[in-house]
Amino acid sequence: MIQLTAVVTVLAALTQAQQLSKPPLRNNLDALEQGLLNNLHPTHSTWDKWGAGWIPADCKSMTESAGLKATDVETFNVHYDDCSTAWVMCRHVSSPDPLVNMIDLFGRLPVKTRQYVRHMIALPNPTGYAYNWNGNIAMFNRINGDMTVFIHESGHSLDLLGAYADKPLSSSTNWINNYNQDSNVPDPYAQTNQVENVAQNTVVDSYNLNVPGGFGGIEPNWSKIFHQYATVQTEQRDAGNLLVPGGTCSKRLTNSAPVSQTSSKRSLEGRFALGPKPNVALASHLEVIPPKEFNTEKDCKHKW
């Protein structure tokens, strides 16, 4: 049984990673942007800054992985009205994107999607791109008003952290069977592999669910990818309408532990002196989402 499980796991991973040969329906999903911004409204929020010297462990790892210094990152608790526990966000001081922009766009995601994201982090880079690591979303350079990127990256969380009945959706028999009924994928980015295809179809279905007229209102050949985004629609509906605004958070990923921004002796003096250790515990009534290991950085450098 253990050997069979291992074989199934390997086959699922190969299915997720394989490049797709079906042609793209559109050159990109840019036409969906304005409709999403118009119909996914901001969630009221307040925020406060962490004390000196502390950074979430995952933010530190992602910062240093990008070749940047954790001591140049500021950390904030962002309190949205629809959740009893704040989201911890990180921002490098040289990021060209203001904190309020990240708070605004992240808050436009339905809370039942948002709860599958642990940390948001904004980092500088000559090229704008994004990726998702274990439920942490990194945004590089200026985000502008790109809701499609936020939906795409959070779509990875829904897929790979097990939000749907089919876990993960991107390697499930149900997904592959429906994919096989369509002639196209949404765009060239969706051709990368099934993980990216699910994420792009999450963008399409978010538009279909929340924008009057749906996807068919802007795409006359919608039927060529219908079985794919309809599968996302069914899965999200059965999981509690994850892609539709409304309600409050009922579960969350645990926050990564606060750690010192630097491991050197300088952490004990000067501008790196440690203030009171931040409390990152979840509210007691929230269900804890089980962690999963994944990293989309290699394939998911979603550029803009």
Side-chain angles (χ1 to χ4, degrees), residues 123-182:
L123 298 169
N125 189 278
T127 302
Y129 72 96
Y131 73 93
N132 189 323
W133 172 58
N134 299 343
N136 301 295
I137 297 176
M139 298 281 188
F140 290 83
N141 211 3
R142 185 162 178 81
I143 304 166
N144 297 318
D146 205 338
M147 273 309 299
T148 61
V149 176
F150 277 78
I151 296 169
H152 175 102
E153 296 304 334
S154 60
H156 284 314
S157 284
L158 297 176
D159 173 23
L160 301 174
L161 287 171
Y164 302 131
D166 291 299
K167 307 176 191 300
L169 178 60
S170 53
S171 61
S172 68
T173 300
N174 182 37
W175 174 258
I176 300 303
N177 286 344
N178 279 282
Y179 165 78
N180 287 336
Q181 295 183 63
D182 288 339

Tab-separated table of all heavy atoms in Angstrom, residues 123-182:
chain	number	residue	atom	x	y	z
A	123	LEU	N	8.562	43.087	-2.380
A	123	LEU	CA	10.012	43.188	-2.493
A	123	LEU	C	10.397	43.909	-3.783
A	123	LEU	O	9.671	43.834	-4.781
A	123	LEU	CB	10.647	41.791	-2.488
A	123	LEU	CG	10.439	40.945	-1.222
A	123	LEU	CD1	10.884	39.514	-1.465
A	123	LEU	CD2	11.212	41.543	-0.047
A	124	PRO	N	11.535	44.594	-3.802
A	124	PRO	CA	11.971	45.261	-5.037
A	124	PRO	C	12.651	44.288	-5.984
A	124	PRO	O	13.293	43.320	-5.554
A	124	PRO	CB	12.972	46.305	-4.522
A	124	PRO	CG	13.554	45.682	-3.288
A	124	PRO	CD	12.436	44.878	-2.668
A	125	ASN	N	12.499	44.548	-7.284
A	125	ASN	CA	13.147	43.742	-8.312
A	125	ASN	C	13.003	44.485	-9.631
A	125	ASN	O	11.967	45.108	-9.866
A	125	ASN	CB	12.502	42.349	-8.405
A	125	ASN	CG	13.281	41.406	-9.304
A	125	ASN	OD1	13.151	41.435	-10.518
A	125	ASN	ND2	14.089	40.552	-8.704
A	126	PRO	N	14.001	44.425	-10.519
A	126	PRO	CA	13.859	45.114	-11.805
A	126	PRO	C	12.677	44.612	-12.632
A	126	PRO	O	12.109	45.345	-13.435
A	126	PRO	CB	15.188	44.813	-12.508
A	126	PRO	CG	16.147	44.502	-11.404
A	126	PRO	CD	15.326	43.824	-10.346
A	127	THR	N	12.305	43.351	-12.417
A	127	THR	CA	11.177	42.760	-13.135
A	127	THR	C	10.028	42.511	-12.177
A	127	THR	O	10.223	41.992	-11.086
A	127	THR	CB	11.589	41.420	-13.783
A	127	THR	OG1	12.694	41.645	-14.658
A	127	THR	CG2	10.423	40.833	-14.567
A	128	GLY	N	8.833	42.882	-12.584
A	128	GLY	CA	7.665	42.604	-11.759
A	128	GLY	C	7.209	41.169	-11.935
A	128	GLY	O	6.956	40.725	-13.053
A	129	TYR	N	7.151	40.427	-10.847
A	129	TYR	CA	6.610	39.067	-10.898
A	129	TYR	C	6.140	38.665	-9.507
A	129	TYR	O	6.312	39.407	-8.537
A	129	TYR	CB	7.632	38.070	-11.458
A	129	TYR	CG	8.791	37.725	-10.550
A	129	TYR	CD1	8.752	36.582	-9.743
A	129	TYR	CD2	9.941	38.510	-10.525
A	129	TYR	CE1	9.810	36.252	-8.923
A	129	TYR	CE2	11.003	38.187	-9.699
A	129	TYR	CZ	10.941	37.053	-8.904
A	129	TYR	OH	11.997	36.721	-8.088
A	130	ALA	N	5.536	37.487	-9.411
A	130	ALA	CA	5.004	37.020	-8.131
A	130	ALA	C	5.106	35.501	-8.066
A	130	ALA	O	5.173	34.819	-9.100
A	130	ALA	CB	3.552	37.459	-7.964
A	131	TYR	N	5.114	34.973	-6.838
A	131	TYR	CA	5.046	33.526	-6.664
A	131	TYR	C	4.468	33.208	-5.296
A	131	TYR	O	4.321	34.088	-4.438
A	131	TYR	CB	6.412	32.863	-6.865
A	131	TYR	CG	7.417	33.064	-5.750
A	131	TYR	CD1	7.538	32.144	-4.717
A	131	TYR	CD2	8.279	34.162	-5.758
A	131	TYR	CE1	8.465	32.315	-3.698
A	131	TYR	CE2	9.218	34.347	-4.746
A	131	TYR	CZ	9.308	33.411	-3.720
A	131	TYR	OH	10.224	33.583	-2.713
A	132	ASN	N	4.138	31.933	-5.085
A	132	ASN	CA	3.528	31.471	-3.848
A	132	ASN	C	4.371	30.341	-3.270
A	132	ASN	O	4.625	29.337	-3.943
A	132	ASN	CB	2.092	30.977	-4.127
A	132	ASN	CG	1.299	30.677	-2.869
A	132	ASN	OD1	1.833	30.177	-1.890
A	132	ASN	ND2	0.004	30.931	-2.915
A	133	TRP	N	4.796	30.522	-2.032
A	133	TRP	CA	5.579	29.507	-1.323
A	133	TRP	C	4.839	29.129	-0.052
A	133	TRP	O	4.726	29.921	0.878
A	133	TRP	CB	6.979	30.048	-0.998
A	133	TRP	CG	7.791	29.162	-0.103
A	133	TRP	CD1	8.135	27.866	-0.320
A	133	TRP	CD2	8.370	29.519	1.158
A	133	TRP	NE1	8.886	27.386	0.733
A	133	TRP	CE2	9.049	28.380	1.652
A	133	TRP	CE3	8.379	30.703	1.910
A	133	TRP	CZ2	9.728	28.392	2.870
A	133	TRP	CZ3	9.061	30.706	3.127
A	133	TRP	CH2	9.725	29.562	3.600
A	134	ASN	N	4.291	27.927	-0.027
A	134	ASN	CA	3.618	27.397	1.171
A	134	ASN	C	2.498	28.301	1.690
A	134	ASN	O	2.210	28.324	2.886
A	134	ASN	CB	4.620	27.144	2.294
A	134	ASN	CG	5.683	26.135	1.919
A	134	ASN	OD1	5.537	25.388	0.959
A	134	ASN	ND2	6.773	26.106	2.665
A	135	GLY	N	1.867	29.059	0.788
A	135	GLY	CA	0.797	29.950	1.203
A	135	GLY	C	1.251	31.377	1.455
A	135	GLY	O	0.434	32.232	1.809
A	136	ASN	N	2.549	31.653	1.284
A	136	ASN	CA	3.085	33.011	1.362
A	136	ASN	C	3.212	33.560	-0.056
A	136	ASN	O	3.803	32.909	-0.921
A	136	ASN	CB	4.469	33.022	2.012
A	136	ASN	CG	4.472	32.441	3.410
A	136	ASN	OD1	3.854	32.982	4.316
A	136	ASN	ND2	5.160	31.323	3.584
A	137	ILE	N	2.687	34.745	-0.293
A	137	ILE	CA	2.731	35.324	-1.638
A	137	ILE	C	3.713	36.480	-1.667
A	137	ILE	O	3.581	37.445	-0.907
A	137	ILE	CB	1.340	35.793	-2.081
A	137	ILE	CG1	0.377	34.591	-2.168
A	137	ILE	CG2	1.418	36.507	-3.434
A	137	ILE	CD1	-1.049	34.967	-2.512
A	138	ALA	N	4.705	36.363	-2.555
A	138	ALA	CA	5.692	37.431	-2.759
A	138	ALA	C	5.339	38.203	-4.019
A	138	ALA	O	5.071	37.610	-5.065
A	138	ALA	CB	7.088	36.844	-2.884
A	139	MET	N	5.319	39.529	-3.908
A	139	MET	CA	5.083	40.417	-5.037
A	139	MET	C	6.335	41.264	-5.240
A	139	MET	O	6.789	41.931	-4.305
A	139	MET	CB	3.881	41.326	-4.768
A	139	MET	CG	2.554	40.586	-4.584
A	139	MET	SD	1.866	40.098	-6.178
A	139	MET	CE	0.245	39.504	-5.661
A	140	PHE	N	6.880	41.235	-6.437
A	140	PHE	CA	8.094	41.983	-6.739
A	140	PHE	C	7.792	43.187	-7.620
A	140	PHE	O	7.020	43.095	-8.569
A	140	PHE	CB	9.111	41.081	-7.444
A	140	PHE	CG	9.697	40.023	-6.555
A	140	PHE	CD1	9.019	38.832	-6.328
A	140	PHE	CD2	10.927	40.214	-5.941
A	140	PHE	CE1	9.559	37.849	-5.515
A	140	PHE	CE2	11.476	39.241	-5.122
A	140	PHE	CZ	10.793	38.054	-4.904
A	141	ASN	N	8.459	44.291	-7.311
A	141	ASN	CA	8.298	45.547	-8.021
A	141	ASN	C	6.912	46.131	-7.758
A	141	ASN	O	6.281	45.826	-6.751
A	141	ASN	CB	8.583	45.384	-9.514
A	141	ASN	CG	9.147	46.647	-10.129
A	141	ASN	OD1	9.381	47.641	-9.444
A	141	ASN	ND2	9.370	46.621	-11.422
A	142	ARG	N	6.377	46.925	-8.674
A	142	ARG	CA	5.102	47.593	-8.429
A	142	ARG	C	3.940	46.731	-8.869
A	142	ARG	O	3.900	46.232	-9.986
A	142	ARG	CB	5.062	48.948	-9.139
A	142	ARG	CG	3.799	49.711	-8.811
A	142	ARG	CD	3.927	51.200	-9.121
A	142	ARG	NE	2.681	51.902	-8.842
A	142	ARG	CZ	2.291	52.293	-7.651
A	142	ARG	NH1	3.045	52.053	-6.605
A	142	ARG	NH2	1.151	52.922	-7.467
A	143	ILE	N	2.964	46.547	-7.975
A	143	ILE	CA	1.820	45.681	-8.245
A	143	ILE	C	0.818	46.366	-9.157
A	143	ILE	O	0.090	45.729	-9.894
A	143	ILE	CB	1.123	45.285	-6.918
A	143	ILE	CG1	2.131	44.622	-5.977
A	143	ILE	CG2	-0.037	44.348	-7.172
A	143	ILE	CD1	1.641	44.506	-4.552
A	144	ASN	N	0.812	47.710	-9.155
A	144	ASN	CA	-0.210	48.481	-9.862
A	144	ASN	C	-1.588	48.076	-9.343
A	144	ASN	O	-1.782	47.900	-8.162
A	144	ASN	CB	-0.074	48.304	-11.376
A	144	ASN	CG	1.255	48.839	-11.899
A	144	ASN	OD1	1.687	49.904	-11.479
A	144	ASN	ND2	1.896	48.107	-12.772
A	145	GLY	N	-2.554	47.893	-10.226
A	145	GLY	CA	-3.889	47.521	-9.776
A	145	GLY	C	-4.251	46.126	-10.224
A	145	GLY	O	-5.395	45.856	-10.579
A	146	ASP	N	-3.272	45.241	-10.247
A	146	ASP	CA	-3.453	43.957	-10.910
A	146	ASP	C	-4.119	42.921	-10.018
A	146	ASP	O	-3.464	42.115	-9.361
A	146	ASP	CB	-2.107	43.445	-11.417
A	146	ASP	CG	-2.268	42.495	-12.591
A	146	ASP	OD1	-3.364	41.931	-12.725
A	146	ASP	OD2	-1.324	42.331	-13.360
A	147	MET	N	-5.438	42.909	-10.030
A	147	MET	CA	-6.182	41.902	-9.264
A	147	MET	C	-5.965	40.500	-9.803
A	147	MET	O	-6.025	39.525	-9.053
A	147	MET	CB	-7.683	42.216	-9.299
A	147	MET	CG	-8.182	43.162	-8.229
A	147	MET	SD	-7.708	42.716	-6.539
A	147	MET	CE	-8.472	41.115	-6.350
A	148	THR	N	-5.707	40.380	-11.111
A	148	THR	CA	-5.541	39.040	-11.679
A	148	THR	C	-4.351	38.323	-11.043
A	148	THR	O	-4.386	37.101	-10.862
A	148	THR	CB	-5.364	39.097	-13.205
A	148	THR	OG1	-4.189	39.852	-13.538
A	148	THR	CG2	-6.579	39.721	-13.871
A	149	VAL	N	-3.306	39.080	-10.684
A	149	VAL	CA	-2.142	38.458	-10.048
A	149	VAL	C	-2.498	37.971	-8.646
A	149	VAL	O	-2.139	36.861	-8.246
A	149	VAL	CB	-0.947	39.430	-9.992
A	149	VAL	CG1	0.222	38.803	-9.251
A	149	VAL	CG2	-0.527	39.823	-11.401
A	150	PHE	N	-3.221	38.781	-7.889
A	150	PHE	CA	-3.635	38.374	-6.547
A	150	PHE	C	-4.534	37.136	-6.600
A	150	PHE	O	-4.405	36.228	-5.768
A	150	PHE	CB	-4.359	39.528	-5.853
A	150	PHE	CG	-3.440	40.528	-5.224
A	150	PHE	CD1	-2.788	41.476	-6.003
A	150	PHE	CD2	-3.204	40.519	-3.862
A	150	PHE	CE1	-1.923	42.398	-5.431
A	150	PHE	CE2	-2.333	41.444	-3.275
A	150	PHE	CZ	-1.697	42.381	-4.064
A	151	ILE	N	-5.441	37.098	-7.569
A	151	ILE	CA	-6.327	35.938	-7.687
A	151	ILE	C	-5.542	34.713	-8.130
A	151	ILE	O	-5.741	33.603	-7.604
A	151	ILE	CB	-7.485	36.238	-8.666
A	151	ILE	CG1	-8.365	37.355	-8.101
A	151	ILE	CG2	-8.319	34.980	-8.917
A	151	ILE	CD1	-9.373	37.900	-9.103
A	152	HIS	N	-4.649	34.893	-9.092
A	152	HIS	CA	-3.823	33.778	-9.565
A	152	HIS	C	-3.017	33.173	-8.419
A	152	HIS	O	-3.046	31.947	-8.207
A	152	HIS	CB	-2.890	34.272	-10.675
A	152	HIS	CG	-1.908	33.249	-11.152
A	152	HIS	ND1	-2.071	32.543	-12.316
A	152	HIS	CD2	-0.732	32.806	-10.607
A	152	HIS	CE1	-1.054	31.711	-12.474
A	152	HIS	NE2	-0.226	31.852	-11.442
A	153	GLU	N	-2.298	34.017	-7.681
A	153	GLU	CA	-1.433	33.502	-6.620
A	153	GLU	C	-2.233	32.882	-5.476
A	153	GLU	O	-1.856	31.842	-4.933
A	153	GLU	CB	-0.516	34.607	-6.102
A	153	GLU	CG	0.467	35.145	-7.126
A	153	GLU	CD	1.355	34.079	-7.740
A	153	GLU	OE1	1.600	33.038	-7.092
A	153	GLU	OE2	1.811	34.280	-8.877
A	154	SER	N	-3.346	33.504	-5.108
A	154	SER	CA	-4.184	32.896	-4.061
A	154	SER	C	-4.854	31.636	-4.589
A	154	SER	O	-5.162	30.716	-3.809
A	154	SER	CB	-5.223	33.892	-3.554
A	154	SER	OG	-6.072	34.330	-4.587
A	155	GLY	N	-5.052	31.559	-5.912
A	155	GLY	CA	-5.581	30.336	-6.510
A	155	GLY	C	-4.663	29.155	-6.289
A	155	GLY	O	-5.122	28.010	-6.146
A	156	HIS	N	-3.344	29.399	-6.266
A	156	HIS	CA	-2.405	28.325	-5.928
A	156	HIS	C	-2.641	27.829	-4.506
A	156	HIS	O	-2.573	26.622	-4.240
A	156	HIS	CB	-0.962	28.831	-6.041
A	156	HIS	CG	-0.473	28.962	-7.444
A	156	HIS	ND1	-0.658	27.994	-8.405
A	156	HIS	CD2	0.224	29.967	-8.053
A	156	HIS	CE1	-0.093	28.381	-9.543
A	156	HIS	NE2	0.436	29.578	-9.356
A	157	SER	N	-2.899	28.752	-3.592
A	157	SER	CA	-3.166	28.344	-2.212
A	157	SER	C	-4.401	27.455	-2.134
A	157	SER	O	-4.399	26.416	-1.462
A	157	SER	CB	-3.348	29.572	-1.317
A	157	SER	OG	-2.117	30.187	-1.017
A	158	LEU	N	-5.472	27.865	-2.804
A	158	LEU	CA	-6.704	27.068	-2.777
A	158	LEU	C	-6.464	25.676	-3.334
A	158	LEU	O	-6.939	24.668	-2.783
A	158	LEU	CB	-7.801	27.778	-3.579
A	158	LEU	CG	-8.260	29.140	-3.051
A	158	LEU	CD1	-9.281	29.753	-4.001
A	158	LEU	CD2	-8.844	29.024	-1.649
A	159	ASP	N	-5.742	25.600	-4.425
A	159	ASP	CA	-5.451	24.325	-5.076
A	159	ASP	C	-4.526	23.462	-4.229
A	159	ASP	O	-4.860	22.317	-3.882
A	159	ASP	CB	-4.828	24.614	-6.446
A	159	ASP	CG	-4.327	23.368	-7.176
A	159	ASP	OD1	-4.820	22.256	-6.878
A	159	ASP	OD2	-3.458	23.526	-8.053
A	160	LEU	N	-3.376	24.002	-3.858
A	160	LEU	CA	-2.301	23.192	-3.282
A	160	LEU	C	-2.388	23.018	-1.774
A	160	LEU	O	-1.745	22.123	-1.212
A	160	LEU	CB	-0.957	23.798	-3.672
A	160	LEU	CG	-0.723	23.894	-5.196
A	160	LEU	CD1	0.573	24.642	-5.494
A	160	LEU	CD2	-0.711	22.514	-5.848
A	161	LEU	N	-3.183	23.861	-1.105
A	161	LEU	CA	-3.374	23.691	0.338
A	161	LEU	C	-4.636	22.897	0.674
A	161	LEU	O	-4.976	22.746	1.844
A	161	LEU	CB	-3.420	25.060	1.024
A	161	LEU	CG	-2.075	25.780	1.132
A	161	LEU	CD1	-2.271	27.208	1.634
A	161	LEU	CD2	-1.115	25.031	2.056
A	162	GLY	N	-5.333	22.423	-0.346
A	162	GLY	CA	-6.441	21.513	-0.092
A	162	GLY	C	-7.770	22.148	0.230
A	162	GLY	O	-8.562	21.578	0.989
A	163	ALA	N	-8.042	23.324	-0.338
A	163	ALA	CA	-9.325	23.982	-0.066
A	163	ALA	C	-10.491	23.256	-0.719
A	163	ALA	O	-11.622	23.341	-0.247
A	163	ALA	CB	-9.285	25.436	-0.553
A	164	TYR	N	-10.210	22.554	-1.798
A	164	TYR	CA	-11.264	21.889	-2.571
A	164	TYR	C	-11.405	20.419	-2.164
A	164	TYR	O	-10.515	19.843	-1.531
A	164	TYR	CB	-10.944	21.972	-4.054
A	164	TYR	CG	-10.776	23.379	-4.591
A	164	TYR	CD1	-9.669	23.707	-5.368
A	164	TYR	CD2	-11.718	24.368	-4.329
A	164	TYR	CE1	-9.511	24.989	-5.875
A	164	TYR	CE2	-11.568	25.647	-4.834
A	164	TYR	CZ	-10.465	25.957	-5.606
A	164	TYR	OH	-10.307	27.232	-6.106
A	165	ALA	N	-12.517	19.827	-2.590
A	165	ALA	CA	-12.739	18.413	-2.303
A	165	ALA	C	-11.681	17.549	-2.970
A	165	ALA	O	-11.233	16.545	-2.412
A	165	ALA	CB	-14.143	18.006	-2.760
A	166	ASP	N	-11.282	17.919	-4.189
A	166	ASP	CA	-10.194	17.226	-4.879
A	166	ASP	C	-8.873	17.876	-4.478
A	166	ASP	O	-8.647	19.047	-4.763
A	166	ASP	CB	-10.398	17.299	-6.395
A	166	ASP	CG	-11.576	16.467	-6.853
A	166	ASP	OD1	-11.542	15.240	-6.643
A	166	ASP	OD2	-12.533	17.044	-7.406
A	167	LYS	N	-8.031	17.120	-3.800
A	167	LYS	CA	-6.819	17.672	-3.184
A	167	LYS	C	-5.569	16.995	-3.735
A	167	LYS	O	-5.400	15.800	-3.506
A	167	LYS	CB	-6.869	17.484	-1.670
A	167	LYS	CG	-8.119	17.999	-0.981
A	167	LYS	CD	-8.083	17.665	0.502
A	167	LYS	CE	-9.405	17.910	1.175
A	167	LYS	NZ	-9.885	19.279	1.109
A	168	PRO	N	-4.694	17.709	-4.420
A	168	PRO	CA	-4.921	19.029	-4.998
A	168	PRO	C	-5.740	18.922	-6.272
A	168	PRO	O	-5.706	17.901	-6.961
A	168	PRO	CB	-3.515	19.544	-5.271
A	168	PRO	CG	-2.714	18.305	-5.504
A	168	PRO	CD	-3.316	17.239	-4.629
A	169	LEU	N	-6.450	19.962	-6.587
A	169	LEU	CA	-7.310	19.951	-7.770
A	169	LEU	C	-6.506	19.728	-9.039
A	169	LEU	O	-6.924	18.973	-9.928
A	169	LEU	CB	-8.077	21.270	-7.865
A	169	LEU	CG	-8.995	21.441	-9.089
A	169	LEU	CD1	-10.059	20.366	-9.133
A	169	LEU	CD2	-9.621	22.825	-9.086
A	170	SER	N	-5.334	20.356	-9.150
A	170	SER	CA	-4.562	20.348	-10.392
A	170	SER	C	-4.061	18.977	-10.821
A	170	SER	O	-3.706	18.781	-11.985
A	170	SER	CB	-3.380	21.317	-10.277
A	170	SER	OG	-2.623	21.043	-9.122
A	171	SER	N	-4.019	18.012	-9.918
A	171	SER	CA	-3.582	16.668	-10.295
A	171	SER	C	-4.692	15.635	-10.125
A	171	SER	O	-4.444	14.433	-10.216
A	171	SER	CB	-2.362	16.248	-9.470
A	171	SER	OG	-2.670	16.226	-8.095
A	172	SER	N	-5.924	16.097	-9.894
A	172	SER	CA	-7.027	15.171	-9.646
A	172	SER	C	-7.589	14.600	-10.949
A	172	SER	O	-7.505	15.212	-12.017
A	172	SER	CB	-8.147	15.880	-8.878
A	172	SER	OG	-8.766	16.872	-9.693
A	173	THR	N	-8.179	13.438	-10.835
A	173	THR	CA	-8.834	12.806	-11.989
A	173	THR	C	-9.971	13.681	-12.496
A	173	THR	O	-10.175	13.815	-13.708
A	173	THR	CB	-9.374	11.416	-11.594
A	173	THR	OG1	-8.286	10.594	-11.157
A	173	THR	CG2	-10.073	10.753	-12.765
A	174	ASN	N	-10.705	14.286	-11.590
A	174	ASN	CA	-11.812	15.162	-11.974
A	174	ASN	C	-11.315	16.314	-12.843
A	174	ASN	O	-11.917	16.644	-13.879
A	174	ASN	CB	-12.490	15.701	-10.713
A	174	ASN	CG	-13.677	16.577	-11.027
A	174	ASN	OD1	-14.431	16.329	-11.979
A	174	ASN	ND2	-13.882	17.627	-10.236
A	175	TRP	N	-10.216	16.955	-12.438
A	175	TRP	CA	-9.680	18.065	-13.221
A	175	TRP	C	-9.215	17.600	-14.602
A	175	TRP	O	-9.531	18.216	-15.622
A	175	TRP	CB	-8.526	18.738	-12.485
A	175	TRP	CG	-7.872	19.794	-13.330
A	175	TRP	CD1	-6.700	19.702	-14.006
A	175	TRP	CD2	-8.407	21.084	-13.618
A	175	TRP	NE1	-6.450	20.853	-14.695
A	175	TRP	CE2	-7.482	21.727	-14.477
A	175	TRP	CE3	-9.556	21.765	-13.236
A	175	TRP	CZ2	-7.684	23.025	-14.965
A	175	TRP	CZ3	-9.762	23.060	-13.708
A	175	TRP	CH2	-8.837	23.667	-14.560
A	176	ILE	N	-8.450	16.525	-14.643
A	176	ILE	CA	-7.916	16.043	-15.916
A	176	ILE	C	-9.045	15.623	-16.858
A	176	ILE	O	-9.002	15.903	-18.064
A	176	ILE	CB	-6.939	14.875	-15.688
A	176	ILE	CG1	-5.762	15.321	-14.808
A	176	ILE	CG2	-6.434	14.330	-17.016
A	176	ILE	CD1	-4.985	16.504	-15.358
A	177	ASN	N	-10.064	14.984	-16.330
A	177	ASN	CA	-11.194	14.573	-17.176
A	177	ASN	C	-11.886	15.784	-17.798
A	177	ASN	O	-12.273	15.761	-18.974
A	177	ASN	CB	-12.201	13.756	-16.368
A	177	ASN	CG	-11.710	12.354	-16.065
A	177	ASN	OD1	-10.754	11.875	-16.686
A	177	ASN	ND2	-12.337	11.697	-15.108
A	178	ASN	N	-12.056	16.837	-17.021
A	178	ASN	CA	-12.702	18.038	-17.550
A	178	ASN	C	-11.771	18.810	-18.482
A	178	ASN	O	-12.219	19.359	-19.502
A	178	ASN	CB	-13.188	18.924	-16.403
A	178	ASN	CG	-14.509	18.437	-15.837
A	178	ASN	OD1	-15.567	18.650	-16.413
A	178	ASN	ND2	-14.443	17.733	-14.711
A	179	TYR	N	-10.504	18.853	-18.164
A	179	TYR	CA	-9.516	19.469	-19.059
A	179	TYR	C	-9.559	18.790	-20.426
A	179	TYR	O	-9.509	19.458	-21.474
A	179	TYR	CB	-8.130	19.346	-18.436
A	179	TYR	CG	-6.988	19.616	-19.382
A	179	TYR	CD1	-6.635	20.917	-19.735
A	179	TYR	CD2	-6.240	18.554	-19.912
A	179	TYR	CE1	-5.574	21.157	-20.601
A	179	TYR	CE2	-5.177	18.789	-20.769
A	179	TYR	CZ	-4.856	20.092	-21.117
A	179	TYR	OH	-3.808	20.320	-21.975
A	180	ASN	N	-9.667	17.475	-20.422
A	180	ASN	CA	-9.669	16.722	-21.682
A	180	ASN	C	-10.883	17.001	-22.558
A	180	ASN	O	-10.867	16.714	-23.756
A	180	ASN	CB	-9.577	15.219	-21.389
A	180	ASN	CG	-8.195	14.811	-20.915
A	180	ASN	OD1	-7.204	15.484	-21.198
A	180	ASN	ND2	-8.124	13.704	-20.185
A	181	GLN	N	-11.936	17.574	-21.991
A	181	GLN	CA	-13.138	17.880	-22.773
A	181	GLN	C	-13.054	19.235	-23.482
A	181	GLN	O	-13.904	19.549	-24.316
A	181	GLN	CB	-14.368	17.868	-21.862
A	181	GLN	CG	-14.681	16.498	-21.282
A	181	GLN	CD	-15.947	16.524	-20.452
A	181	GLN	OE1	-17.032	16.793	-20.955
A	181	GLN	NE2	-15.810	16.246	-19.155
A	182	ASP	N	-12.049	20.030	-23.156
A	182	ASP	CA	-11.903	21.355	-23.760
A	182	ASP	C	-10.841	21.346	-24.850
A	182	ASP	O	-9.908	20.537	-24.821
A	182	ASP	CB	-11.525	22.382	-22.693
A	182	ASP	CG	-12.669	22.709	-21.754
A	182	ASP	OD1	-13.833	22.468	-22.127
A	182	ASP	OD2	-12.387	23.202	-20.637
